[in-house]
Amino acid sequence: MPDGLHFDLAEKRLVTTEAQSPAAYSTPRHRPHNRLWRWTLRLALPTLAFLSGLALYWIWFDQAYGGTEWTTIIVGLPLAVEAAAVTLWSISAWSSNDLV
């Protein structure tokens, strides 16, 4: 059995040997450097998604590499996948429950 617990045979139930306060069941506090990291991600990820989208627009629609060839689509596909992944990560970072 875990420390602080024992089985009381007379009452046939599990009993704690240590007094536990309600604060023991509260959620853990976040460290300041974790908060700094979360806010850095929340601000940097939308910026990276915007820059990726801008580069995609430049490659695909402004036709920086010339005409509308299949090579421009191939060049932009990895960037499009990266932009989609960063956008999803940004949405999850902003919609988490710890916006403090």
Side-chain angles (χ1 to χ4, degrees), residues 1-6 16-18 20:
M1 294 217 170
D3 292 336
L5 296 175
H6 71 276
T16 60
T17 56
E18 300 173 0
Q20 294 183 358

Side-chain angles (χ1 to χ4, degrees), residues 14-76:
L14 195 63
V15 179
T16 60
T17 56
E18 300 173 0
Q20 294 183 358
S21 65
Y25 298 108
S26 66
T27 59
R29 295 183 135 196
H30 296 289
R31 296 185 181 125
H33 67 276
N34 286 342
R35 182 178 297 157
L36 178 67
W37 174 247
R38 283 193 314 264
W39 277 104
T40 302
L41 278 177
R42 287 178 183 146
L43 298 175
L45 288 173
T47 305
L48 182 60
F50 172 76
L51 291 175
S52 299
L54 191 63
L56 274 175
Y57 181 82
W58 181 61
I59 291 170
W60 283 346
F61 300 109
D62 279 349
Q63 299 166 352
Y65 290 117
T68 55
E69 298 175 358
W70 63 274
T71 55
T72 59
I73 295 172
I74 299 299
V75 166

